Amino acid sequence: MSASREGLFVVFTGAPGCGKGTQARILKQKTHVCHLSTGEMLREFAQKDTPLGRELNAALERGEFATDDMIIEMVKSRIDEADCQHGFILDGFPRTMPQAEILEEMLAEKGIKLNCVLEIQVPDEIIMERILGRYSCMKCGAGYHDKFQRPKIYGVCDACGGTEFTRRKDDNRTTVQNRLVNYRLLTYPTIQFFERRGLLKTVDGTGTIEAVSKKIDQILGVESGN
Ligand code: AMP
C-alpha cells in the first residue's frame, strides 16, 4: 500500500436533481480538481451507435442504473489518469453498495483518504420541479432552468453566446419517479455505509446555487471567493 496522498478527494451524493452536478462544477472551478460524473460519462457512451450504446441509452431513458461492472471499470480507469492525482469530486458514484465497497477497496490500494462524502439534501417535491425545468447549452454545457435560472438574454447562453439548448431525455416525470425509487432502494444504503465510516457530511441543498456552494466551501475548508 502506498503512502496517504494529499489533495481534495470528495464524493457528492444525494437524490437526482439535488444539485450534485452543478455544485461539483462550481467546486471544480475553484479548486481545479477533476470532476468525475458517471452520469455524464454514461450519456456520452449512450450516444454511440453500437449495441452496448443503444442498450445503455434505453436503460437511461427508463431511469435504470447501468451495471456495477461497467461503472466500476469506467471509474477505475478514470481515477488513474493524471488530472485525478491530486483530487477528484465523484459525482453520482458510488450509487449502489457493491460500488461503495469497491470504491473503499480501490482508494485503500491507492493510499487515498476521502475528505468526506457530502450528501446534498433536497425534499422530493422540490426535486421534481427542479428536474422538469432544467436544460443546458448545447455548446458549453452551462445549466439553466425555466423558472429559477433563465439566461440574461432570452435564448442566448450567458457563458458562451450559444443559441441551442438541450434537455436530458431522462428528465421526464416517469423516469424521475423511477430514479427516485432507485435512489431510495440502492443509493440510500451507501449513505448509511459512509455514515458508519464517519465520513458523512450533509448540507441543505434548498437555497440558491450560490448559498449552497458557500455552505459546501465551509464544510470542505475551501476559500469561497466571488
Ligand atoms: P446523473 O447524471 O448522475 O443524474 O446520472 C444519470 C443516470 O446515469 C442515472 O439515472 C443512472 O441511470 C445512470 N448512472 C449514473 N451514475 C451511475 C452509477 N454510479 N451506477 C449506475 N448507474 C449510474
Side-chain angles (χ1 to χ4, degrees):
M1 197 163 91
S2 46
S4 181
R5 274 203 231 156
E6 292 291 320
L8 181 68
F9 297 96
V10 288
V11 171
F12 277 9
T13 190
C18 70
K20 297 185 289 289
T22 304
Q23 294 298 339
R25 276 186 288 275
I26 295 176
L27 184 61
K28 180 193 166 153
Q29 277 172 7
K30 289 179 190 160
T31 60
H32 306 289
V33 302
C34 150
H35 170 204
L36 214 160
S37 157
T38 45
E40 272 171 23
M41 289 159 98
L42 288 171
R43 281 189 286 284
E44 212 170 284
F45 205 95
Q47 279 174 6
K48 295 196 174 133
D49 194 15
T50 60
L52 192 56
R54 286 191 290 273
E55 196 184 312
L56 186 60
N57 191 37
L60 295 188
E61 277 190 36
R62 289 191 297 265
E64 289 166 12
F65 281 3
T67 64
D68 286 335
D69 288 349
M70 177 181 190
I71 292 284
I72 288 163
E73 269 319 300
M74 267 178 17
V75 173
K76 259 190 182 159
S77 55
R78 185 65 186 86
I79 65 174
D80 280 335
E81 287 179 27
D83 62 336
C84 291
Q85 297 316 301
H86 298 289
F88 52 64
I89 309 154
L90 289 177
D91 158 13
F93 177 89
R95 250 183 166 98
T96 64
M97 276 309 292
Q99 292 178 19
E101 279 158 2
I102 295 267
L103 176 69
E104 189 172 54
E105 270 174 35
M106 211 156 59
L107 297 183
E109 271 169 24
K110 294 179 194 299
I112 296 174
K113 264 181 90 180
L114 282 179
N115 295 66
C116 72
V117 172
L118 189 74
E119 181 197 4
I120 306 179
Q121 296 178 326
V122 176
D124 282 7
E125 53 280 15
I126 296 182
I127 279 173
M128 197 53 97
E129 192 181 23
R130 276 193 182 179
I131 294 187
L132 297 183
R134 72 183 177 183
Y135 62 97
S136 60
C137 170
M138 278 178 84
K139 202 163 143 200
C140 74
Y144 295 98
H145 192 280
D146 294 327
K147 206 163 143 189
F148 309 126
Q149 205 192 349
R150 299 190 187 121
K152 291 193 185 86
I153 302 171
Y154 178 78
V156 182
C157 173
D158 297 343
C160 75
T163 52
E164 287 185 280
F165 296 87
T166 182
R167 286 178 199 265
R168 278 170 50 173
K169 284 192 203 151
D170 59 347
D171 280 354
N172 62 74
R173 195 171 288 277
T174 315
T175 304
V176 175
Q177 270 154 359
N178 284 340
R179 286 160 63 198
L180 282 170
V181 170
N182 280 333
Y183 170 72
R184 285 217 183 81
L185 289 177
L186 303 171
T187 308
Y188 193 67
T190 68
I191 295 179
Q192 295 171 311
F193 169 85
F194 288 119
E195 186 172 27
R196 288 194 296 276
R197 296 285 191 264
L199 285 169
L200 185 70
K201 298 261 160 65
T202 57
V203 64
D204 173 2
T206 57
T208 62
I209 292 174
E210 294 72 27
V212 176
S213 168
K214 275 207 171 132
K215 285 188 231 161
I216 292 179
D217 291 345
Q218 274 164 10
I219 292 171
L220 299 178
V222 168
E223 289 245 345
S224 271
N226 287 312

